[in-house]
Structures are given as structure tokens and as C-alpha cells.
Amino acid sequence: MPLALARGFLSGIITGTTLCAFVVGIVIEYVPLMITGVGLPIAYGILLYLAGAPRRAREARIAPVIALAKVESLRAGGTETGDIPVYFDLTVAPEGAATYRLKITHGINLVDLPGYHAGDVLVVRYPPDRPWKAEVVERLSPEWERRVAEAVIESAPESSLVREPAEGCAFGALAVLGFTLGAALVLYLFRAELFAPEAPVRAEETQSTTTSSSGSATVNVDRSLLGEGELRRAIDSLALATDVSRVITAVVEDRRLTVVFAPTDAQVPRFDLREWAVDRVPALVQRAKATIHVGEPKTWQVTIIPFGTAVSSRVIVTGPDGSGSLADGG
């Protein structure tokens, strides 16, 4: 039916949009899209319920068919307490019509289950146009009780089994098409957020933290100071926060620069950190790692101190076999 095909297509769109919106919302961390993914099927369910109200009202005005049915077999399933689903295979004998086979599920209390046997006669009721929606009538009038007691029903062949009509291949194809279109719509609308290339992190954007006191200062960075220009940038960052022209000791580690300043009135050797040849540090560290035998080097530290009119650098490398040092008098 065209209406059923349209419902399949719309259901596919809602399903595809819901799943894709929820997943994309998580990926791009966009909460409104995630909420939409959760709320869309709820809204669709409410609309379907409201759209089906006129049909349900029409069906309620149609008197159901009440017929005798013979139990061909039954099988219980589900939990072991309370009402459990029992699967009935019935031969239905509607008055004035041919008998047919039908399979239904009916909830029966566990206490009452021994009262149902193959060969028993029951009374079922169903809409005239949908016999597969039959249900067992439990409270019978005296007239129907008499008819049940007197009924003799011959088993209908298996070939007469009545089932709910299948939706068909067209329904499934439209549902898949709707699912694809719904998901594609979400991906298209949020393609910029999903597939935009990440902006490269420039060296100038390297974050650093500077802390200082009257006698010392420390710069912590999130990239190795052996990287090209990293140590120079750390020094420039420190120079913006404090006076680096009266340094008596500087210690360089992989991601930290620590500086000790000379007291204002003290006559001690000092140097200007900005004039120090920072470009020699990476080569000095690499040479120390290659020539000092401490196993696989784990950490390194370069200490810079003034020595007369020159500035002396010493690198200490530490590994599993101990530590060693290498001096550079330049």
C-alpha cells in the first residue's frame, strides 16, 4: 500500500537522521545535535500515534469477530513467575467461514497454565480485516461456554496458516533509502565541522608558564626546548616578565628553563641571558648523549654559569647505567 511504503521511507529517514545526528554530535561535541538525535524518534512516535488515532477510532466502532478455536499445540516461554507468554498454534473456526490455522501469543498466569492442553477449544476475537491480531477471550458468556463444551473442530491444514502480510521488498528498499538520505543530510549539514583540516600548531603558539620570585624564575613549556628556536622563545618570554641581564646560573631541561638572579648589590659574576649562544645547546646535548655511556639516556640537563668574561655550559646526561657530564667552555 502507498501509505505503508511512505511510512517505511519516513521511518528510514528518521532512523538514519537520529543515529547520525547522535554520533556526529558526540564527535564534534555539539550538545544540541545530540539532543536532537535523542528527541527526534520520540517526536516521530508521538506523530505516528496521533496520525493513527482516526483509524483506531474507526476500528473501535467495528464489532470484532468471535470464533471458536482448537488448540493444536502450545509452548510457554519467558519468566517463571507471574504471567508468561504462551505461544498457541490454533485452528480457528469462524461461523459461516472456512477454518484456518493461526499462531498467536497469549499471557497466562503460571498457576493457570496446567489448565491449557492441546485439543482444548478456546474462544478468540479479532478485527474482521486482521485475523492475525486475534486474542483469547477469557471471560465467556453462558452461551459461549455451552458452545465450547459442545464444539468438535477438525484440524485445519498447515497450508491455511494466516500471517500478517509482509511489508515486501519495496518497503525494505525505501526504508534503506530513507536511512541513507537521513544520514547523508546530517553529514552534509555538518561537513565543515567534521572534515575541516586541523589548523597546524605554530611554534609561536607554544604555551608556556612563567613563574618568578625575587631570586629566581622558571619557564615551563609544552614542547622540547631542543626544538628549533624553542629555547630562544622561552628566553624572550622570560625577558618580558623579569630582568635577565643579571643571571648567575641558568639550567635548561627538556621542557623547563630555570634562572637564578644575582642580588642587586652583590658583586658576583653575572651574564645577560639574551646574549648567550642558545643555538649551541641542541648540538651539545646530542654530543653528550652519543659520547657519554650511561645506557639509553633518559634525562639531560644543561647548566650555564659565567666564568670570567666567558660563559661556561655543562650538560649532565642520566641513564640506567648512571650519569655523566660534558663541558663546553664557549
Side-chain angles (χ1 to χ4, degrees):
M1 295 177 60
L3 192 59
L5 296 178
R7 177 170 54 84
F9 180 67
L10 185 58
S11 298
I13 290 179
I14 296 298
T15 304
T17 303
T18 296
L19 293 177
C20 193
F22 189 73
V23 173
V24 170
I26 294 176
V27 172
I28 66 176
E29 298 180 351
Y30 188 48
V31 176
L33 187 59
M34 288 187 282
I35 295 176
T36 300
V38 174
L40 192 60
I42 298 176
Y44 179 62
I46 294 174
L47 288 176
L48 282 182
Y49 179 80
L50 295 177
R55 176 182 56 80
R56 290 192 298 271
R58 289 194 304 270
E59 292 175 351
R61 293 193 293 266
I62 301 174
V65 175
I66 301 178
L68 297 173
K70 174 186 174 182
V71 179
E72 299 293 344
S73 64
L74 68 162
R75 177 173 57 87
T79 62
E80 297 181 354
T81 59
D83 287 351
I84 61 175
V86 178
Y87 307 99
F88 284 90
D89 184 357
L90 304 173
T91 291
V92 181
E95 191 172 356
T99 59
Y100 60 88
R101 295 289 283 270
L102 182 67
K103 294 183 178 182
I104 65 171
T105 302
H106 179 60
I108 299 176
N109 191 278
L110 190 62
V111 176
D112 300 328
L113 186 59
Y116 291 84
H117 307 89
D120 290 349
V121 176
L122 307 175
V123 177
V124 295
R125 132 181 97 206
Y126 55 86
D129 57 340
R130 288 180 296 170
W132 55 87
K133 288 193 171 290
E135 57 183 19
V136 176
V137 180
E138 296 183 338
R139 296 184 179 181
L140 304 178
S141 64
E143 172 63 20
W144 279 102
E145 288 181 348
R146 181 186 60 80
R147 295 179 62 177
V148 167
E150 298 175 353
V152 176
I153 301 175
E154 296 293 333
S155 298
E158 286 281 354
S159 58
S160 64
L161 180 66
V162 173
R163 301 177 182 271
E164 183 177 3
E167 301 289 358
C169 295
F171 182 92
L174 287 175
V176 172
L177 176 62
F179 182 93
T180 305
L181 291 178
L185 176 63
V186 176
L187 293 176
Y188 176 78
L189 293 177
F190 293 91
R191 65 190 185 282
E193 293 83 353
L194 280 172
F195 306 112
E198 294 184 3
V201 179
R202 297 182 301 172
E204 296 80 6
E205 297 174 349
T206 302
Q207 296 182 354
S208 64
T209 303
T210 304
T211 58
S212 63
S213 63
S214 59
S216 64
T218 301
V219 178
N220 294 295
V221 298
D222 59 2
R223 298 177 66 178
S224 175
L225 291 176
L226 294 180
E228 183 179 357
E230 294 297 332
L231 183 54
R232 174 59 65 187
R233 275 186 284 274
I235 293 174
D236 292 342
S237 173
L238 182 61
L240 295 175
T242 187
D243 183 9
V244 296
S245 64
R246 52 187 184 90
V247 176
I248 59 174
T249 304
V251 178
V252 181
E253 298 172 274
D254 188 48
R255 299 191 180 190
R256 178 184 299 171
L257 169 64
T258 304
V259 177
V260 180
F261 304 108
T264 304
D265 299 328
Q267 299 299 317
V268 295
R270 65 187 70 185
F271 68 98
D272 191 333
L273 190 61
R274 290 168 296 186
E275 296 179 359
W276 173 53
V278 298
D279 296 339
R280 303 177 66 170
V281 171
L284 177 63
V285 173
Q286 295 301 326
R287 182 155 55 95
K289 287 182 177 181
T291 58
I292 299 174
H293 302 292
V294 292
E296 181 67 26
K298 299 297 183 183
T299 61
W300 60 267
Q301 175 182 294
V302 178
T303 303
I304 306 97
I305 57 175
F307 187 75
T309 58
V311 178
S312 174
S313 302
R314 177 176 294 275
V315 58
I316 300 175
V317 177
T318 303
D321 296 338
S323 62
S325 64
L326 178 67
D328 181 12

